[in-house]
Amino acid sequence: MTKIMMITKEGEAFLARIQEISGEAITACDQCGTCSGSCPMASEMDITPSEMIRKTQMGQQDVLSTKAMWLCAACFACTVRCPRGIDLSKIAEALRQISLRQAVDHIDIAGIPAPERARLPQIALVGAMRKFTS
Amino acid sequence: MRIGVYVCHCGGNISETVDVKAVAAAAEQRPGVVLARDYSHMCSDLGQKLILEDIKEHNLDRVVVAACSPHFQGATFMNVLETGSLSPYVFEMANIREQCAWPHFGEPETATLKSIELTNMAIAKAGLDESLNKKTMPIGKRVLVIGGGIAGIQASLDLADSGFEVHLVEKDPSIGGKMAQLSRTFPTEDCSACILSPKMADVPANPNIELLTYSEIESVEGYLGNFEVTVVRRSTYVDPDLCTACGLCEDACPVKVPSEFEVGLRDRKAIYVPFDFAVPYKYLIDESVCLRLTKGGEVCGLCQKACPKDAIDFSRKSEKIRFTVDTIVVATGYDIFDATEKKVYGYGEYKNVITALEMERMIVNGAAGTPIRPIKGRIGFIQCVGSRDEQVGNEYCSRVCCMYATKLSQLLKRSDPTREVYVFYTDLRAFGKGFEEYYKRAQTDGVKFVRGRVAELLEDPVTKSVTVKVEDTLSRQMIEAEFDLVILSVGLKPNAGTERIAEILKLTKSPDGFLQEAHPKFRPVDTLKEGIFLAGAVQGPKDIPDAVASASAAAARAVRLMNQGEFSLDPVLAYVHEDICDGCSLCVDSCLPGAISISSNVAQINETLCTGCGICIAACPLDAMDLHCYANDQLLAEVEAAISERRDGETRIIVFADDTTTYRLADNVGTGKLSYAPETRIIRVPSGTRATPALMLKALALGIDGVFVGESESKSSPYAGIGPALSRNIEQTRSILREHGIEPERVRAKEFVTIMLGGFVAQLNELTAFAENAGPVSEKKKKALKETLANGLPRAEAQVAQ
Amino acid sequence: MKPTTQTKKRRSTKRDDSPQPVHARSSRTMFPYYPGCTLKTTAQNFEDSALATAAILGIDLVEIPRWNCCGVVSSLVENDRMHHVAPLRNIIRTQEMIAERGGEIESRLVTLCSMCTNTLRRTNLFLKENPEDLEAINDYMSLEDNYEGGVEIVHFLEILRERGFDAVTNKVSNPLEGLNAAAYYGCMLLRPKDIGIDDPEDPTIQENLISALGAAVIDTPYKKMCCGSYQTVQDRYAVAELAYDILTHAQREGAEVIITACPLCAFNLDDRQKEVRERHPDFRSIPVLYFTQLMALAFGLGEDALGFELNSVDPRPLLMAKGLLAPR
């Protein structure tokens, strides 16, 4: 990753699109980091949840190739704590949707080993399919 | 009637475009005009002398000057009339410079015609001018100051030192407020108690201050110059004249409760002095915990036995004290955010999570050699607790927490450099004098500032240390680190007592819950209630110097009203045609400042409270309400004169321009030489609501083609809350037009600020174009409208719903 | 001087619960009931214990006919009407049942699985707040009756709360004295705020139940922290790390069992203890029960209602050692 950030028209359009799909005022985020501190998966992520917002704010589309949005468990811990009343879970969902709407699945359910698949309760499988496949 | 008319050349500014001689000649033909002259500079000494001589020689009783905007030279000519022994209010100006010569520069014929009509309008209005005198009301020098924190103390001392009689009412047993609890002040690190206590001592020492502590306001009735105040002074059960504060009673008392002053970190007795520099320094009994006072009979009473002066009397009662004041200063201060509301930080549950106020007391007690608990190891401050947080309903910044945390953190670090001190913040706001330097000093001393809002705290069940979960947003790394002590930098919120005071005084609150100032820029310590002022943090979070500055400002604003023994009222006040009024009280409901009451079945105006907005006139179904200087018959006469020179096929638009914004905006348009539809005729009114539905409809019935109402944007309007009334007026007018088959779009309104030059021009041009396209209202429709008006507008329609 | 102080006070776990509605006083009450998929398979013990304990409390849970999967998770993007269809079909089934049974059944649909609760509630709230979307979805589902918006979704715990936990205590024949139980909420019972059944940062509803059953309440701030949810499908070790934090913190506070209301939380906290042990060999197992199993135990019910054989970490040795369960 280069240290130079490109500010582009496409970036503006990307931000506008994510704002539209999520219905959230992403530019109103003041980057306090409460979402990151509340996120159960943050320690597993390549970028922190607040950085996910920051990249989106700045129209940096490389956010789509990060792992973070796929690690969101939609637990809404960030939602109930954001001091600016922004729902990050919706922003992460919008980012996932950008990928999924191009019919690119994030996981292959069929590829899960049979014993493990048998062990998993339906809600885990259905939940994962809803969030990770198109 | 003997009217003199003077047409000014303005050194060519007017006369290069407008045929001033033609204007004067036309004026001379108008009824009541005895002479009309033109002159190069009416505002010059010679011009003024000309008017003065004419008043004497020709016995003038009205004067009209056709020149510039009344906002330029109106006051000059009014003084001339006073010198000539006339009322300054038998004077009108026709603004032929800003409204004719400048916007219609290069169109002499158009500009001249418009000038003639504007002058005719001024003449018509002047003919109906009343010979009013400036009204004055007597006022005394008595002030009520509510709240004895630093703001209340400062306001009281400023007022008392200026020779005013101050009644300072404080609900707690001592004055001093929150400042008394602080360790040191930022950024200078003065000892808070040391700089405050001399000021506190000055209060009872000042002969002009009556100090009422342990007292609460029960009621306030009346208005500027006549506020009747009732205060309840709670019983302390100790005779203050006998008590020498020897302390023997306290030693004897068996009851221990947490001390409010020490934020519960230490105990006090049921009989106590709030703190060691309290003013007054007298003992009092807390009746809610005293054994005798809660259980009755002969229980306990040890303090009474111990008192060598026999000062304790369990039968002492609270008392009501009544007095009258002329003005009021509200200084009820703030409270700190209740940290238990922010549950993720575990305050009240976790042993090692405290508030910054508790840390203040720990530092003071430590410095005094009586430490409360050891402070060591790793210490973290969490900023914005209860501030800038929609999850707790507070969007605002509390303004002081950044700097008090900067102060506390470096005091802790400097006194023991082995302490690891961290401050977790979202934005570090070091905006005041010396603040940035002070922030740098904390950083230099080794305090670590981490940019991230702490998400939650977790207490270790065994060690009781606290894990801080936060993102360092600058390095984009997650921190989960153990701390020995966490200090919550709690924000400021409106004091619970403020709520009651606002209700009693009928003051409005801003969305943050603090009290609302009259104007955020120019009247920051005034309220919308005449004679009531705000001092300190009751208006919003403030640090000490800002609170003191606002207190001094509030005192000065109160002095401004009282200093001359009388205050003058603008004569633009509502009045009642008592012969018409039937006491229906619709006007009472419409009046925003509550200036109208019904007495013996007739509306009465309290001239001190009336702001002259004119809302009540539209509310009255009988046309019994009117306004001095802008009376119904005067405005109608102006409308009639606005078509006095109309030639066939010409359009005429009346613009009712509120004096605060729209009239000045039109002046700015003229100064900018921006051209706009010359068919417009501007009539100056105090507020847009003065243009009543009846007046607008009458104008259309007379043959005016369109009516425009310009009003100040609500934020800059001196008449708070009139917006809905204006909309109702427009809606009612339009619905009646619809009923008569007349295009409702002929009546329009818009809120402006004084820089919206382009918007103003566009609005007037659009309406003029619309009226031109629509053509004149047919005679038949005008006749039907006249008949409706003659029967009076239906009462239900005229009603102004609040 | 008497400044308003912020003296520290311990928060009470008792909350002023909402007043009892009239119908709650009659001897038996019938509710429409939505089980959801998992309660018929890996969480059969949740359903068995719930139906049995509800019956003892005079509550008959009547399964709605022809129910379908709720979808487990809600769509979080704007204008995604499609994802409301599955939950809505279940709500329409409920509406039909209420219409057919007249006044004899409550107009509130009871759920047990917290994910189902969340998904159904979210759709119900969305449709009530957005009549245009409701109309569009009603049009789209032309073979179904129109949804009129009259159904409420409640969690079984809410029914217990509104009837008062004393009613629960009255049925306890085997008080759980000496048992330290920690409540685990996870996400879906609490968040977002307008969907949750309790204070999202300080819930107490399960603690009140634990007290009502005679056990000791162990409070842990981790009780509202996410277990990783469906992430268990793609990264079971990440979920195991979360389970490790949640479980060991409760153990440090003294917990001997953990109760939950979610089959997915139960899976992640109970089954995934295998993965926890792989990563943390020093980890001590701890049983994870459905809150209804704890009720069944306190009500003195038998194996059929308890269903402990489906629990991954067998609670029976502990309960027997405590004298709360008869040895076989």
Side-chain angles (χ1 to χ4, degrees):
Chain A
M1 224 179 283
T2 165
K3 284 284 170 197
I4 293 171
M5 184 191 283
M6 302 303 287
I7 306 283
T8 61
K9 275 207 173 88
E10 291 74 22
E12 280 288 327
F14 173 69
L15 167 64
R17 181 142 182 243
I18 302 299
Q19 296 217 131
E20 190 191 344
I21 298 175
S22 66
E24 292 299 301
I26 297 168
T27 47
C29 167
D30 70 355
Q31 289 287 297
C32 70
T34 301
C35 46
S36 305
S38 304
C39 182
M41 304 300 286
S43 55
E44 306 282 328
M45 291 177 174
D46 49 355
I47 61 170
T48 64
S50 71
E51 194 176 357
M52 192 193 308
I53 300 193
R54 185 63 183 161
K55 279 180 170 291
T56 310
Q57 279 182 335
M58 299 306 289
Q60 305 300 302
Q61 298 189 54
D62 61 356
V63 68
L64 291 172
S65 54
T66 61
K67 254 170 66 181
M69 65 193 189
W70 300 109
L71 286 167
C72 166
C75 76
F76 308 123
C78 51
T79 308
V80 298
R81 286 188 186 161
C82 176
R84 288 280 171 96
I86 299 166
D87 192 345
L88 170 53
S89 72
K90 293 184 175 174
I91 298 167
E93 182 105 328
L95 293 171
R96 288 191 292 267
Q97 284 292 317
I98 294 282
S99 268
L100 296 176
R101 285 179 187 183
Q102 290 160 21
V104 181
D105 288 353
H106 174 64
I107 59 166
D108 173 20
I109 297 280
I112 300 170
E116 172 69 8
R117 211 164 62 219
R119 215 178 130 198
L120 288 165
Q122 290 102 313
I123 39 176
L125 289 166
V126 177
M129 283 193 284
R130 290 281 300 267
K131 293 293 178 193
F132 299 147
T133 64
S134 55
Chain B
M1 196 188 308
R2 304 184 61 78
I3 307 176
V5 180
Y6 301 86
V7 185
C8 183
H9 299 196
C10 197
N13 270 314
I14 295 172
S15 55
E16 278 169 15
T17 304
V18 174
D19 182 348
V20 289
K21 297 222 180 288
V23 176
E28 206 147 29
Q29 305 305 313
R30 301 297 290 175
V33 176
V34 295
L35 65 88
R37 305 181 194 279
D38 65 282
Y39 186 72
S40 60
H41 290 99
M42 281 310 302
C43 58
S44 67
D45 277 354
L46 287 174
Q48 295 182 36
K49 223 173 249 169
L50 189 62
I51 299 174
L52 259 183
E53 282 165 8
D54 282 349
I55 290 173
K56 273 189 210 139
E57 202 166 311
H58 297 279
N59 217 10
L60 301 181
D61 59 7
R62 304 276 196 281
V63 172
V64 170
V65 177
C68 55
S69 168
H71 287 295
F72 268 92
Q73 296 294 354
T76 309
F77 297 117
M78 286 171 87
N79 285 339
V80 171
L81 267 71
E82 274 193 295
T83 314
S85 304
L86 286 179
S87 155
Y89 297 100
V90 292
F91 165 76
E92 298 296 334
M93 271 188 101
N95 185 352
I96 62 170
R97 188 179 74 177
E98 278 82 351
Q99 292 177 14
C100 299
W102 281 348
H104 309 306
F105 180 76
E107 303 168 73
E109 201 183 322
T110 307
T112 302
L113 173 75
K114 190 176 174 186
S115 298
I116 290 172
E117 260 180 11
L118 286 183
T119 309
N120 289 351
M121 288 162 71
I123 294 166
K125 188 181 182 206
L128 297 163
D129 273 344
E130 299 169 274
S131 194
L132 298 167
N133 284 311
K134 274 192 184 142
K135 273 217 162 154
T136 56
M137 302 281 280
I139 189 167
K141 297 194 162 201
R142 303 155 301 179
V143 194
L144 165 66
V145 177
I146 308 173
I150 181 58
I153 291 171
Q154 183 69 38
S156 297
L157 291 174
D158 281 0
L159 286 159
D161 291 347
S162 311
F164 292 80
E165 174 190 325
V166 176
H167 302 262
L168 173 56
V169 177
E170 166 58 51
K171 70 176 188 320
D172 289 335
S174 169
I175 56 171
K178 296 284 188 296
M179 185 181 169
Q181 289 174 284
L182 305 180
S183 57
R184 289 172 182 274
T185 62
F186 59 76
T188 48
E189 294 187 0
D190 295 296
C191 156
S192 188
C194 315
I195 60 173
L196 176 63
S197 54
K199 264 195 181 304
M200 288 167 64
D202 285 348
V203 169
N206 194 310
N208 285 341
I209 300 179
E210 184 202 21
L211 175 59
L212 295 168
T213 51
Y214 217 35
S215 302
E216 295 200 44
I217 306 290
E218 186 179 82
S219 67
V220 176
E221 304 289 339
Y223 41 84
L224 171 63
N226 187 29
F227 290 109
E228 290 164 17
V229 184
T230 306
V231 172
V232 177
R233 183 173 207 167
R234 296 172 62 189
S235 172
T236 62
Y237 302 95
V238 178
D239 186 334
D241 297 332
L242 297 177
C243 175
T244 58
C246 67
L248 291 172
C249 54
E250 185 177 1
D251 296 341
C253 178
V255 179
K256 273 189 181 177
V257 289
S259 157
E260 293 85 353
F261 184 76
E262 297 290 359
V263 238
L265 298 172
R266 289 196 184 286
D267 288 338
R268 63 160 168 84
K269 296 291 188 69
I271 187 160
Y272 69 112
V273 177
F275 49 94
D276 57 13
F277 57 101
V279 170
Y281 194 78
K282 300 286 176 186
Y283 273 85
L284 77 149
I285 299 180
D286 178 349
E287 60 185 10
S288 67
V289 295
C290 166
L291 294 176
R292 167 69 66 89
L293 291 168
T294 52
K295 297 198 166 70
E298 294 301 308
V299 177
C300 190
L302 292 172
C303 56
Q304 201 172 31
K305 289 177 199 117
C307 180
K309 295 285 181 182
D310 208 13
I312 297 169
D313 176 1
F314 291 111
S315 66
R316 276 177 85 94
K317 297 268 175 282
S318 67
E319 53 179 331
K320 276 193 190 181
I321 301 164
R322 292 188 176 82
F323 51 87
T324 305
V325 295
D326 301 282
T327 57
I328 298 175
V329 174
V330 183
T332 47
Y334 68 91
D335 226 328
I336 61 170
F337 173 76
D338 177 0
T340 60
E341 280 182 45
K342 191 72 192 164
K343 290 181 173 153
V344 284
Y345 296 150
Y347 179 75
E349 291 224 329
Y350 298 168
K351 186 169 163 266
N352 288 311
V353 176
I354 62 170
T355 67
L357 190 54
E358 289 170 326
M359 180 49 79
E360 297 278 355
R361 295 313 302 162
M362 283 162 62
I363 288 178
V364 176
N365 281 280
T370 54
I372 288 167
R373 64 196 268 185
I375 309 164
K376 56 184 183 197
R378 190 180 291 154
I379 300 157
F381 286 83
I382 301 183
Q383 298 308 106
C384 298
V385 180
S387 310
R388 305 177 66 200
D389 186 355
E390 291 182 24
Q391 301 299 342
V392 297
N394 292 339
E395 279 194 60
Y396 59 87
C397 166
S398 290
R399 293 179 93 243
V400 297
C401 325
C402 281
M403 292 320 293
Y404 76 55
T406 299
K407 170 194 75 183
L408 291 171
S409 62
Q410 62 186 300
L411 289 178
L412 291 174
K413 183 72 181 172
R414 226 180 290 136
S415 60
D416 179 357
T418 67
R419 291 173 180 145
E420 302 168 48
V421 185
Y422 290 80
V423 178
F424 298 98
Y425 69 98
T426 304
D427 295 293
L428 210 297
R429 293 176 175 175
F431 56 89
K433 185 169 175 171
F435 289 8
E436 182 65 23
E437 298 90 321
Y438 194 53
Y439 172 35
K440 184 186 169 191
R441 185 172 173 198
Q443 291 174 303
T444 311
D445 285 347
V447 175
K448 293 200 185 68
F449 288 80
V450 181
R451 193 191 176 283
R453 192 192 272 251
V454 173
E456 65 188 318
L457 299 176
L458 301 166
E459 183 185 60
D460 187 290
V462 182
T463 65
K464 302 293 174 193
S465 68
V466 181
T467 298
V468 173
K469 287 184 71 177
V470 65
E471 178 184 13
D472 174 22
T473 61
L474 298 180
S475 71
R476 294 293 182 193
Q477 282 176 304
M478 304 306 304
I479 298 173
E480 275 196 54
E482 282 195 24
F483 280 73
D484 298 292
L485 185 63
V486 171
I487 296 128
L488 306 180
S489 294
V490 285
L492 275 48
K493 66 173 187 185
N495 194 324
T498 301
E499 188 85 19
R500 253 194 84 243
I501 296 295
E503 242 168 68
I504 290 170
L505 298 176
K506 298 179 189 70
L507 301 177
T508 49
K509 288 186 284 185
S510 36
D512 56 14
F514 291 95
L515 295 190
Q516 175 110 51
E517 64 280 5
H519 189 280
K521 295 287 172 282
F522 300 126
R523 298 177 66 194
V525 299
D526 295 12
T527 67
L528 289 167
K529 296 274 283 186
E530 201 69 33
I532 302 181
F533 303 92
L534 303 176
V538 68
Q539 181 264 345
K542 282 183 185 55
D543 64 359
I544 294 165
D546 282 3
V548 169
S550 103
S552 289
R557 294 290 289 172
V559 167
R560 171 182 163 270
L561 280 180
M562 297 183 292
N563 201 31
Q564 313 211 338
E566 59 179 29
F567 62 96
S568 56
L569 293 173
D570 194 331
V572 182
L573 295 167
Y575 65 99
V576 183
H577 296 291
E578 296 192 355
D579 48 329
I580 308 176
C581 175
D582 69 355
C584 76
S585 85
L586 285 173
C587 54
V588 178
D589 300 337
S590 76
C591 180
L592 295 170
I596 313 178
S597 57
I598 303 288
S599 154
S600 341
N601 238 15
V602 171
Q604 305 280 325
I605 311 283
N606 180 326
E607 298 194 332
T608 316
L609 295 176
C610 177
T611 58
C613 68
I615 280 188
C616 54
I617 303 169
C620 179
L622 298 177
D623 275 345
M625 273 291 169
D626 219 330
L627 192 66
H628 288 302
C629 302
Y630 299 93
N632 282 326
D633 56 357
Q634 287 186 296
L635 298 181
L636 200 58
E638 283 189 86
V639 172
E640 283 169 345
I643 46 177
S644 54
E645 305 288 328
R646 175 158 73 175
R647 287 172 291 207
D648 278 352
E650 277 182 5
T651 306
R652 283 290 183 276
I653 305 292
I654 293 288
V655 178
F656 290 106
D658 86 293
D659 196 39
T660 310
T661 301
T662 316
Y663 196 90
R664 288 163 201 263
L665 173 57
D667 283 353
N668 293 346
V669 167
T671 310
K673 306 274 200 305
L674 292 175
S675 171
Y676 56 94
E679 294 84 354
T680 49
R681 300 288 176 266
I682 293 174
I683 296 180
R684 185 181 173 204
V685 284
S687 86
T689 49
R690 178 62 192 88
T692 62
L695 186 59
M696 292 188 266
L697 292 166
K698 279 176 190 169
L700 290 159
L702 281 169
I704 298 293
D705 300 289
V707 175
F708 189 90
V709 181
E711 177 56 64
S712 305
E713 192 184 77
S714 61
K715 280 177 202 143
S716 49
S717 169
Y719 312 103
I722 63 164
L726 176 62
S727 310
R728 279 196 299 275
N729 285 351
I730 298 295
E731 268 323 297
Q732 193 198 348
T733 310
R734 287 179 154 200
S735 87
I736 293 171
L737 290 180
R738 257 182 234 112
E739 285 165 21
H740 289 78
I742 302 170
E743 300 83 353
E745 297 87 351
R746 286 181 189 269
V747 172
R748 300 178 183 196
K750 170 109 178 113
E751 290 186 356
F752 290 111
V753 297
T754 47
I755 56 164
M756 292 163 72
L757 309 188
F760 178 82
V761 168
Q763 289 281 337
L764 297 201
N765 287 348
E766 266 173 42
L767 177 56
T768 309
F770 177 85
E772 265 169 12
N773 276 337
V777 179
S778 74
E779 287 304 322
K780 201 174 147 194
K781 286 176 182 170
K782 282 196 282 191
K783 196 169 161 238
L785 189 56
K786 270 182 198 157
E787 276 164 20
T788 304
L789 286 163
N791 295 331
L793 295 181
R795 186 171 285 236
E797 299 250 37
Q799 189 167 356
V800 176
Q802 277 291 295
Chain C
M1 143 121 211
K2 200 172 178 180
T4 318
T5 55
Q6 286 201 346
T7 45
K8 295 192 180 188
K9 50 185 184 256
R10 234 191 134 78
R11 279 178 284 158
S12 150
T13 50
K14 290 269 180 205
R15 206 174 281 277
D16 184 23
D17 292 321
S18 46
Q20 292 190 16
V22 180
H23 49 74
R25 295 200 199 108
S26 62
S27 58
R28 295 205 77 78
T29 318
M30 209 184 280
F31 284 92
Y33 158 60
Y34 174 79
C37 316
T38 311
L39 268 73
K40 296 296 183 185
T41 55
T42 57
Q44 184 66 53
N45 51 353
F46 190 6
E47 174 168 65
D48 292 344
S49 54
L51 295 182
T53 51
I56 285 175
L57 292 166
I59 300 166
D60 295 321
L61 300 179
V62 185
E63 190 169 312
I64 57 170
R66 295 188 296 127
W67 55 267
N68 54 260
C69 173
C70 66
V72 182
V73 288
S74 299
S75 169
L76 300 174
V77 298
E78 297 285 288
N79 302 320
D80 195 349
R81 289 169 177 164
M82 201 60 201
H83 282 90
H84 291 293
V85 170
L88 178 57
R89 282 192 75 241
N90 295 313
I91 296 172
I92 291 174
R93 292 289 86 78
T94 311
Q95 180 177 279
E96 288 164 2
M97 178 183 264
I98 294 163
E100 276 165 27
R101 302 225 178 187
E104 71 180 52
I105 196 161
E106 281 260 359
S107 62
R108 296 183 291 170
L109 176 66
V110 171
T111 51
L112 287 166
C113 166
S114 63
M115 298 202 83
C116 301
T117 309
N118 198 289
T119 310
L120 292 170
R121 271 168 108 111
R122 207 155 170 147
T123 288
N124 203 30
L125 182 71
F126 173 78
L127 295 177
K128 283 181 183 186
E129 286 180 351
N130 298 283
E132 280 174 25
D133 291 281
L134 174 60
E135 200 184 327
I137 298 177
N138 274 335
D139 283 351
Y140 171 76
M141 295 167 70
S142 51
L143 297 178
E144 301 275 6
D145 288 349
N146 278 352
Y147 176 46
E148 310 288 348
V151 176
E152 248 186 89
I153 320 289
V154 289
H155 191 272
F156 185 51
L157 279 167
E158 291 179 285
I159 302 292
L160 298 180
R161 178 173 61 191
E162 80 179 23
R163 292 173 155 238
F165 288 103
D166 286 349
V168 173
T169 304
N170 289 340
K171 301 292 179 188
V172 170
S173 59
N174 177 31
L176 306 178
E177 276 160 21
L179 181 67
N180 291 342
Y184 176 75
Y185 290 84
C187 316
M188 295 298 139
L189 281 185
L190 302 177
R191 300 189 286 266
K193 270 179 197 160
D194 52 357
I195 299 295
I197 68 168
D198 207 341
D199 184 328
E201 298 292 2
D202 185 28
T204 53
I205 190 165
Q206 291 194 99
E207 279 80 355
N208 290 338
L209 176 66
I210 292 171
S211 297
L213 299 175
V217 173
I218 300 296
D219 201 0
T220 151
Y222 283 77
K223 66 188 181 185
K224 52 199 193 316
M225 203 166 286
C226 180
C227 67
S229 187
Y230 51 77
Q231 291 293 345
T232 203
V233 174
Q234 69 165 340
D235 191 346
R236 52 192 170 135
Y237 289 105
V239 167
E241 287 303 321
L242 295 174
Y244 177 73
D245 281 348
I246 293 163
L247 297 170
T248 51
H249 206 277
Q251 285 173 322
R252 275 168 70 81
E253 299 270 7
E256 295 162 322
V257 295
I258 288 172
I259 63 164
T260 178
C262 176
L264 187 48
C265 300
F267 177 80
N268 285 340
L269 297 185
D270 189 7
D271 276 56
R272 288 281 181 238
Q273 287 188 30
K274 296 186 191 79
E275 280 80 2
V276 173
R277 272 191 302 276
E278 285 178 38
R279 290 289 167 95
H280 301 275
D282 58 330
F283 174 72
R284 290 176 291 119
S285 294
I286 178 168
V288 178
L289 310 184
Y290 293 108
F291 70 94
T292 47
Q293 288 181 294
L294 203 66
M295 286 172 72
L297 180 68
F299 288 3
L301 299 181
E303 273 300 300
D304 289 352
L306 292 170
F308 287 144
E309 67 283 355
L310 277 178
N311 291 63
S312 184
V313 176
D314 190 346
R316 285 171 290 200
L318 169 79
L319 299 174
M320 285 174 195
K322 294 248 164 199
L324 299 171
L325 188 67
R328 275 171 300 178

